[in-house]
């Protein structure tokens, strides 16, 4: 109610003023944004050359050491997550989720200072955002159709094409020259409407959300103090966020619309509603403030809101500052999964060959192996390998489906996945996980420029060993 009164006062003042006076009135009611630039260090110059060199080295390690095993053992068909060059070189992604009309678009406008711009995101009291809107950096202000974004292989959005043309019509990109967008990309999502089935959208809404959730570096789940009801759609959203709790930040927006005592009750009610949905020991961080360009309503906790906003900006800056380290860690984690997958497929292949005889039925033999892998110590033998944790092992049932599509006879054992010039697939991915990627991370954290290696897979300064020559 207080926020509504303040807005009405603003409109009344503007109606009674001339054009010159209008600018003075707006300047007096708009909030000071200098702390945003200071906290996010937008005035600081980045070492673009070092950043580009590190990304190039990361891309080289992935293509030379991880992707060959990924392709040889069809890892993409198990996890359906193929890493493109655009995903390696992409900026950190900040995803905005939540019910309709809670202030997601207004918050993006505020962070980018777009409140007076013609190209600001449209906002209103009714559900206004029906598209997935990607706000990214560009040399000039322009909009990009979803079909163009999916067709551009240099971007990280080409995999979205699998969700169909109906979704691509609901995907839009906005490019603009902005210092913050040089370091981060914002994604605004359609608000969740509990009384509308997601199937009515014409595309798999939950699957699309999951795609963005899997790739987001920071996820803002925004709530309005007057819209705290948790329905089936919001429950589904939090189920999709399982395992990403470290990236989630909950925002109680429009906090100056309530008196302090009412705000405390709403804060408690929010935790009460979300507690069954977030089954973790440490709950996500909750920020309480009003993220829009106008001044706080009178008689509200202004100092608290300012501190909360600064704390959120510091959180966002941390993601920006650590974007390269996070990218290296992501590629290394992906490499570990690919390595485990390769070892498992190799073990299935070896077990199949050991159990086969001249009179055996290949289908029955392998069905017995894939139905009961514990009987043949498939997974236990992998745990005996170095650097493999039992918590990293994939679901056993997934391999029943995997080999249902890909016959075991189509794969070679790891011992046969070697070449004279390229080396062995297992050796290359082992070196990437244990040496190359940690070395690249160490060079970044120590402030040194990444050094490009010209060595082949056989090692620096070593004479290639002829694997075909008899000793």
């Amino acid at each position: 109610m207080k926020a509504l009164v303040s807005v009405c006062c603003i409109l009344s003042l503007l109606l009674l003023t001339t054009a010159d006076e209008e600018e003075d009135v707006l300047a007096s009611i708009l909030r000071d944004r200098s702390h945003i630039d200071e906290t996010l260090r937008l005035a600081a110059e980045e070492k673009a050359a070092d950043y580009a060199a590190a990304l190039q080295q990361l891309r080289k390690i992935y293509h030379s050491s991880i992707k060959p095993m990924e392709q040889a053992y069809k890892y993409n068909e198990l996890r359906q997550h193929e890493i493109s060059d655009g995903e390696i070189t992409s900026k950190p992604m900040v995803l905005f989720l939540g019910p309709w009309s809670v202030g997601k678009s207004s918050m993006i406008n505020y962070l980018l200072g777009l409140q007076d711009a013609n190209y600001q995101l449209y906002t209103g009291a009714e559900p206004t955002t029906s598209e997935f809107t990607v706000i990214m950096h560009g040399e000039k202000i322009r909009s990009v159709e979803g079909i163009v974004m999916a067709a551009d292989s240099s971007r990280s959005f080409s995999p979205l094409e699998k969700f169909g043309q109906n979704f691509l019509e609901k995907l839009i990109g906005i490019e603009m020259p902005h210092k913050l967008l040089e370091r981060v990309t914002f994604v605004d999502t359609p608000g969740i409407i509990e009384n509308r089935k997601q199937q009515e959208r014409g595309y798999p809404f939950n699957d699309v959300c999951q795609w963005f959730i899997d790739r987001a570096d920071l996820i803002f789940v925004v709530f309005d103090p007057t819209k705290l009801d948790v329905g089936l759609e919001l429950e589904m959203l939090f189920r999709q966020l399982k395992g990403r709790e470290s990236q989630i930040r909950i925002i109680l927006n429009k906090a100056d619309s309530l008196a302090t005592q009412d705000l405390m009750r709403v804060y408690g009610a929010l935790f009460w509603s979300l507690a069954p949905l977030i089954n973790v020991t440490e709950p996500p961080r909750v920020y309480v403030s009003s993220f829009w360009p106008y001044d706080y309503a009178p008689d509200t906790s202004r100092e608290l809101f300012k501190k909360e906003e600064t704390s959120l900006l510091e959180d966002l800056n941390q993601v920006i500052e650590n974007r390269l380290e996070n990218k290296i860690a992501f590629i290394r984690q992906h490499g570990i999964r690919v390595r485990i997958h390769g070892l498992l497929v190799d073990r299935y292949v070896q077990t199949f060959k050991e159990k086969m005889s001249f009179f055996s039925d290949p289908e029955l033999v392998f069905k017995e192996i894939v139905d009961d892998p514990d009987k043949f110590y498939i997974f236990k033998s992998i745990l005996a390998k170095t650097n493999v944790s039992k918590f990293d092992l994939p679901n056993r049932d997934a391999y029943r489906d995997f080999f249902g599509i890909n016959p075991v006879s189509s794969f070679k054992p790891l011992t046969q996945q070697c070449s004279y010039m390229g080396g062995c697939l297992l050796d290359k991915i082992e070196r990437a996980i244990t040496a190359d990627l940690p070395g690249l991370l160490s060079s970044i954290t120590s402030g040194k420029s990444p050094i490009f290696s010209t060595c082949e897979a056989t090692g620096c300064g070593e004479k290639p060993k002829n694997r075909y020559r008899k000793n």
Side-chain angles (χ1 to χ4, degrees):
M1 181 61 72
K2 291 182 179 180
L4 181 61
V5 172
S6 63
V7 171
C8 292
C9 294
I10 291 169
L11 293 174
S12 302
L13 286 170
L14 292 177
L15 290 172
L16 297 173
T17 56
T18 62
D20 292 336
E21 293 173 337
E22 183 178 327
E23 294 184 3
D24 296 335
V25 172
L26 283 174
S28 64
I29 60 177
L30 290 178
R31 205 183 302 172
D32 180 23
R33 297 185 67 262
S34 60
H35 65 290
I36 296 179
D37 293 350
E38 292 174 2
T39 307
L40 297 178
R41 299 181 178 90
L42 298 185
E45 291 294 329
E46 290 192 304
K47 297 180 180 180
D50 291 348
Y51 183 71
L55 282 180
Q56 186 179 351
Q57 178 72 343
L58 179 61
R59 179 177 172 273
K60 179 181 177 183
I61 292 171
Y62 170 71
H63 279 279
S64 63
S65 302
I66 298 175
K67 193 168 185 178
M69 180 175 282
E70 187 178 327
Q71 292 175 331
Y73 292 103
K74 300 182 180 180
Y75 177 77
N76 182 44
E77 295 189 21
L78 179 75
R79 292 292 297 262
Q80 295 186 344
H81 186 184
E82 185 175 359
I83 297 179
S84 62
D85 287 347
E87 192 168 356
I88 294 176
T89 58
S90 64
K91 301 177 180 69
M93 181 189 295
V94 179
L95 182 64
F96 290 79
L97 299 170
W100 59 276
S101 193
V102 294
K104 300 187 295 293
S105 302
S106 297
M107 186 173 176
I108 295 174
N109 287 335
Y110 173 58
L111 291 174
L112 297 175
L114 304 180
Q115 62 272 4
D116 297 325
N118 295 329
Y119 47 89
Q120 64 177 311
L121 301 183
Y122 180 67
T123 60
E126 75 285 1
T128 55
T129 303
S130 60
E131 299 94 4
F132 282 80
T133 307
V134 181
I135 303 95
M136 48 196 168
H137 183 264
E139 297 301 323
K140 60 181 181 180
I141 300 168
R142 71 182 186 116
S143 62
V144 185
E145 297 294 330
I147 191 170
V148 177
M149 295 174 62
D152 189 352
S153 60
S154 64
R155 303 181 189 272
S156 59
F157 303 103
S158 53
L160 288 170
E161 204 164 20
K162 67 182 178 182
F163 296 117
Q165 293 300 311
N166 285 340
F167 166 70
L168 294 182
E169 292 176 1
K170 293 294 185 180
L171 175 67
I172 187 171
I174 299 176
E175 290 185 346
M176 62 182 73
H178 195 283
K179 197 72 175 177
L180 179 55
L181 294 178
E182 291 180 6
R183 307 180 183 185
V184 72
T185 297
F186 291 129
V187 179
D188 192 14
T189 62
I192 294 171
I193 303 177
E194 292 293 347
N195 59 0
R196 179 185 300 170
K197 294 181 180 179
Q198 302 300 351
Q199 292 86 346
E200 296 176 9
R201 297 181 186 265
Y203 60 89
F205 176 79
N206 292 327
D207 293 340
V208 174
C209 283
Q210 189 66 61
W211 189 92
F212 281 102
I213 288 170
D214 290 340
R215 288 156 180 80
D217 296 84
L218 198 59
I219 302 170
F220 290 147
V221 185
V222 188
F223 288 93
D224 185 316
T226 63
K227 297 186 181 74
L228 295 183
D229 55 320
V230 177
L232 293 176
E233 298 301 332
L234 201 58
E235 287 183 13
M236 174 63 73
L237 174 65
F238 273 92
R239 278 200 295 269
Q240 292 180 274
L241 292 170
K242 291 291 184 184
R244 302 302 304 274
E245 285 80 9
S246 61
Q247 281 86 27
I248 299 174
R249 304 294 183 271
I250 295 174
I251 297 174
L252 186 58
N253 201 13
K254 306 180 184 181
D256 64 342
S257 62
L258 298 175
T260 303
Q261 187 175 7
D262 294 333
L263 182 61
M264 294 300 294
R265 290 172 179 166
V266 168
Y267 185 87
L270 177 63
F271 261 105
W272 180 266
S273 300
L274 297 182
L277 307 179
I278 309 174
N279 296 320
V280 292
T281 305
E282 184 177 350
R285 176 75 162 85
V286 179
Y287 298 97
V288 182
S289 188
S290 293
F291 296 93
W292 71 330
Y294 302 106
D295 199 7
Y296 301 111
D299 300 326
T300 54
S301 305
R302 302 169 64 91
E303 293 302 319
L304 170 65
F305 298 156
K306 288 179 181 178
K307 290 180 180 178
E308 289 284 281
E309 184 176 315
T310 301
S311 181
L312 178 137
L313 293 172
E314 290 173 349
D315 218 349
L316 176 59
N317 182 67
Q318 194 68 32
V319 170
I320 296 173
E321 294 288 334
N322 296 336
R323 62 194 183 279
L324 195 51
E325 291 90 335
N326 293 339
K327 193 80 69 177
I328 295 171
F330 168 72
I331 296 297
R332 186 174 182 273
Q333 185 182 47
H334 178 77
I336 291 173
R337 292 190 181 123
V338 172
R339 171 179 172 266
I340 292 173
H341 172 69
L343 290 170
L344 281 170
V345 174
D346 174 69
R347 185 60 187 163
Y348 273 104
V349 171
Q350 289 186 28
T351 304
F352 174 70
K353 290 187 174 183
E354 290 170 1
K355 298 302 176 184
M356 275 295 296
S357 65
F358 184 77
F359 299 101
S360 301
D361 184 338
E363 291 186 6
L364 292 177
V365 170
F366 190 69
K367 185 178 185 304
E368 183 184 6
I369 296 171
V370 80
D371 285 346
D372 189 7
D374 288 341
K375 179 180 177 181
F376 302 94
Y377 303 99
I378 300 289
F379 285 79
K380 289 183 179 179
S381 64
I382 301 302
L383 288 176
K385 304 282 185 181
T386 57
N387 300 326
V388 174
S389 168
K390 66 178 181 180
F391 301 107
D392 291 330
L393 292 178
N395 189 347
R396 302 166 191 219
D397 294 335
Y399 282 91
R400 185 184 293 109
D401 299 332
F402 176 78
F403 286 114
I405 301 172
N406 305 287
V408 68
S409 57
S410 63
F411 297 105
K412 295 179 181 178
L414 280 170
T415 54
Q416 297 179 19
Q417 296 283 8
C418 298
S419 65
Y420 173 66
M421 294 299 296
C424 296
L425 295 188
L426 184 58
D427 292 341
K428 289 195 293 184
I429 198 168
E430 288 275 11
R431 185 167 55 252
I433 293 169
T434 59
D436 295 344
L437 291 172
L440 179 60
L441 183 61
S442 177
S443 67
I444 294 167
T445 54
S446 63
K448 298 178 182 178
S449 299
I451 301 172
F452 289 90
S453 174
T454 57
C455 307
E456 297 294 335
T458 49
C460 295
E462 296 180 7
K463 185 178 179 180
K465 181 180 179 181
N466 188 343
R467 293 183 174 84
Y468 305 103
R469 180 181 176 181
K470 293 182 179 180
N471 294 326

